[in-house]
Amino acid sequence: MAGLRLGPLLRYTDGSCATVWVETNRPCTAEVRCADGARGTSRTFQIAGHHYALVPVSGLTPGKATEYDVLLDGAHVWPPPDSRFPPSVITTSPAVHEEMRIAFGSCRWAAPPAGGKDRVGPDALDTLSARIAADPQGARPDLLLLLGDQVYADEVSDATRHWIAGRRDLSEPPGDQVADYEEYTRLYYESWLDPEVRWLLSTVPSCMIFDDHDVIDDWNTSAAWLADMRATDWWRERVLSGLMSYWVYQQLGNLSPDELAADPLYAAVRETPDGTDVLRTFAARADADPASVRWSYRRDFGRVRLVMVDSRAARVLEEDRRTMLDPGEAAWLREQILDGRVGGENRDGDTEGRDSENGNRDGNGDGDGDGEQSAYDHLLIGTSLPWLLPHLVHDVEAWNAAMCVGERGARWARLGERIRRGADLEHWSAFPSSFDALADLIAEAGTDPGAPATVSVLSGDVHHAYVAEPSWPGRAPDARVAQLTCSPVHNSVPLSIRLGFRFGWSALARALGRRIARHGRCAPPAVGWRKTGGPWFGNQLMTLTLRGRSARLRLEQARAERDGASVLRMITDRELA
């Protein structure tokens, strides 16, 4: 009898359709059946002995919430009969969005099993789930953005380490890190079978993007780093398994039903009895030629535009032309941001011959290829790595980039590479031309008669939360621009990180950074910026509430109560526009 191994995850939703992702224990037909009569079915596909389906659900009523069940080969499997949670629901977008709540964060270690000691404190996602379950009719996010490090392939739990030791010798590389696809599946089970998180992901739509720990710490830091990794005998299996599992567990659900229907990779995987070789060939090509595929994507929610940017796999790493985004990716980002804007650019078709097997191919989030849209009121740029960092960190990364390219000679270049790897110097500021290009693009998008009310860069990675606001020399954009960084959801925040980032935002650190940048002969960045909130440390989530042209930001942290329960405590609630 077919059973549910993982899921359901409610992924895409719009006014009349949705997608629901499941993993099953055998080949079967997965069905989603809604209380209002809407339904959808899909046959499972197979990857490395595992079975999956992404079920498109059509015929939903705009602006309504409807309960749903999951059936496998006609047998009911979700919700389980002993569930302590409310029914899972699909909530569709209304014809006119009056208000939208978007919760976001990154960096989540799986919470320990029930009764286990949590050494890093309450999980913010677990706590959010408990709050929604306690008041199903209350306010909840319309969308959950997970901005990277959904799993940690290089930092596994004790339970996973024990499980890995049962299948191979940990004294052989990569030791107690994940080695292959099967071990990646264990990470997702451990993270998403958490009862609170499992129910939350079944009832709140989600968008995801990877960061380094989804593959390995500091993934694609530099060309020298990549050459060293490729020289090992374990790296190829690791990176291919990481890309394959990301496509199955995360990327597929980012796409709309129309995009899925037009995706040749998805079609090829589903058409063959075992799609492993097809997907592995795709992953090998993605690793060898990152510019041939696209992991970035775009979603439009009424007058809110979300552009999720791949700031890991799309890099150009050669020192003499180092950029965060390859030329095709940079052109795509520009087109998505300016598409349909007054005075902007309209788009029809794809960019630079990118492979249509991955991500938004028509670029407008609805798969119709028409390129015609009205101006948006809010632009959200999701990138796992912050654009604006503490000034000292920014200046050190810019200095390091200058050293590594040879600004002070070969000896400094060798030292710079060692420092870059040891200190994780690989954010936007470590790619100065890309940093400035993003600043210019944001200014252009925020400065014209159809400018949005806000432009928000949403990021994680750095294990603290803050708000930073840029300023441009000369005319400022008409839009309110902010860097909103929120991390971690559930991870350690050691004292060294707290002290380091507090100092990094200080006036003394800013002066020190300027001196370091002068040694590197670094040009001043295209923008200045100041911290207007934080730094805040803890397991936390930010929520943007967008209504008309107004925007509010709330930061909440998970705190343990005396009775052992956890709650989300409001840390800040402020108006952005």
Side-chain angles (χ1 to χ4, degrees), residues 322-378:
R322 181 175 164 88
T323 55
M324 181 67 84
L325 308 177
D326 67 61
E329 191 78 5
W332 178 90
L333 176 62
R334 176 181 176 81
E335 290 164 352
Q336 303 318 302
I337 287 177
L338 299 182
D339 182 24
R341 293 286 317 286
V342 175
E345 300 177 0
N346 285 325
R347 179 171 190 263
D348 189 11
D350 200 9
T351 303
E352 301 272 332
R354 286 275 186 160
D355 197 309
S356 63
E357 293 176 351
N358 196 54
N360 275 345
R361 298 281 66 93
D362 74 351
N364 65 11
D366 60 11
D368 61 11
D370 56 14
E372 296 292 337
Q373 280 185 309
S374 61
Y376 45 82
D377 289 326
H378 302 280

Side-chain angles (χ1 to χ4, degrees), residues 454 467 469 480 482 532 544-545 549-554 572-577:
T454 66
V467 180
E469 298 189 42
R480 179 80 175 269
T532 56
L544 267 176
T545 300
R549 290 180 64 82
S550 72
R552 292 196 68 86
L553 175 70
R554 172 177 288 206
T572 187
D573 188 353
R574 59 180 61 197
E575 186 179 79
L576 291 182

Side-chain angles (χ1 to χ4, degrees), residues 273-296:
D274 185 345
T276 307
D277 289 343
V278 173
L279 184 55
R280 188 177 178 85
T281 299
F282 167 80
R285 180 157 47 85
D287 176 52
D289 182 15
S292 68
V293 301
R294 176 168 296 117
W295 302 104
S296 303

Side-chain angles (χ1 to χ4, degrees), residues 474-489:
R475 181 188 173 189
D478 300 301
R480 179 80 175 269
V481 181
Q483 168 73 64
L484 307 178
T485 302
C486 185
S487 168
V489 170

Side-chain angles (χ1 to χ4, degrees), residues 184-229:
Y184 263 105
T185 67
R186 170 78 181 196
L187 297 184
Y188 284 103
Y189 297 160
E190 187 175 50
S191 185
W192 291 354
L193 284 177
D194 172 331
E196 282 75 18
V197 168
R198 188 179 195 182
W199 179 79
L200 177 69
L201 294 177
S202 78
T203 202
V204 176
S206 55
C207 290
M208 306 180 189
I209 194 72
F210 48 41
D211 198 22
D212 56 343
H213 290 284
D214 292 274
V215 177
I216 194 171
D217 188 26
D218 302 334
W219 177 30
N220 283 342
T221 288
S222 66
W225 177 93
L226 184 58
D228 287 348
M229 297 304 293

Side-chain angles (χ1 to χ4, degrees), residues 122-429:
D123 184 327
L125 281 190
D126 276 354
T127 310
L128 174 64
S129 177
R131 183 171 72 184
I132 296 173
D135 184 13
Q137 304 306 315
R140 66 169 68 189
D142 299 296
L143 181 67
L144 180 63
L145 299 186
L146 300 177
L147 291 164
D149 297 344
Q150 276 70 261
V151 294
Y152 279 71
D154 52 352
E155 298 178 40
V156 302
S157 68
D158 291 341
T160 294
R161 184 178 298 107
H162 180 76
W163 178 82
I164 292 174
R167 66 190 305 265
R168 60 179 173 84
D169 185 355
L170 297 189
S171 67
E172 297 292 330
D176 62 0
Q177 298 185 23
V178 165
D180 56 25
Y181 188 91
E182 185 64 27
E183 292 178 10
Y184 263 105
T185 67
R186 170 78 181 196
L187 297 184
Y188 284 103
Y189 297 160
E190 187 175 50
S191 185
W192 291 354
L193 284 177
D194 172 331
E196 282 75 18
V197 168
R198 188 179 195 182
W199 179 79
L200 177 69
L201 294 177
S202 78
T203 202
V204 176
S206 55
C207 290
M208 306 180 189
I209 194 72
F210 48 41
D211 198 22
D212 56 343
H213 290 284
D214 292 274
V215 177
I216 194 171
D217 188 26
D218 302 334
W219 177 30
N220 283 342
T221 288
S222 66
W225 177 93
L226 184 58
D228 287 348
M229 297 304 293
R230 286 177 170 170
T232 68
D233 59 4
W234 59 269
W235 171 247
R236 178 173 172 80
E237 186 61 38
R238 167 72 157 271
V239 70
L240 297 192
S241 297
L243 294 174
M244 291 169 67
S245 60
Y246 175 78
W247 185 84
V248 170
Y249 286 87
Q250 298 191 52
Q251 177 70 359
L252 271 181
N254 293 327
L255 308 182
S256 72
D258 287 344
E259 290 162 340
L260 291 166
D263 188 332
L265 174 61
Y266 184 53
V269 165
R270 297 179 68 205
E271 287 168 1
T272 181
D274 185 345
T276 307
D277 289 343
V278 173
L279 184 55
R280 188 177 178 85
T281 299
F282 167 80
R285 180 157 47 85
D287 176 52
D289 182 15
S292 68
V293 301
R294 176 168 296 117
W295 302 104
S296 303
Y297 58 96
R298 172 180 138 197
R299 295 283 307 277
D300 288 334
F301 306 91
R303 295 181 64 83
V304 177
R305 177 167 297 174
L306 168 67
V307 183
M308 291 285 268
V309 183
D310 163 22
S311 50
R312 280 290 169 188
R315 298 176 175 186
V316 176
L317 298 178
E318 291 80 4
E319 294 294 344
D320 59 347
R321 58 188 191 96
R322 181 175 164 88
T323 55
M324 181 67 84
L325 308 177
D326 67 61
E329 191 78 5
W332 178 90
L333 176 62
R334 176 181 176 81
E335 290 164 352
Q336 303 318 302
I337 287 177
L338 299 182
D339 182 24
R341 293 286 317 286
V342 175
E345 300 177 0
N346 285 325
R347 179 171 190 263
D348 189 11
D350 200 9
T351 303
E352 301 272 332
R354 286 275 186 160
D355 197 309
S356 63
E357 293 176 351
N358 196 54
N360 275 345
R361 298 281 66 93
D362 74 351
N364 65 11
D366 60 11
D368 61 11
D370 56 14
E372 296 292 337
Q373 280 185 309
S374 61
Y376 45 82
D377 289 326
H378 302 280
L379 172 63
L380 311 179
I381 302 173
T383 167
S384 62
L385 301 175
W387 171 52
L388 303 179
L389 285 165
H391 297 96
L392 175 59
V393 179
H394 176 98
D395 289 336
V396 168
E397 292 200 351
W399 166 85
N400 180 260
M403 294 301 98
C404 291
V405 81
E407 183 65 33
R408 289 284 185 179
R411 183 173 66 87
W412 278 101
R414 290 190 296 272
L415 177 62
E417 177 64 23
R418 290 197 298 271
I419 294 173
R420 174 158 61 191
R421 297 194 202 186
D424 298 355
L425 304 180
E426 38 93 40
H427 299 82
W428 282 88
S429 48

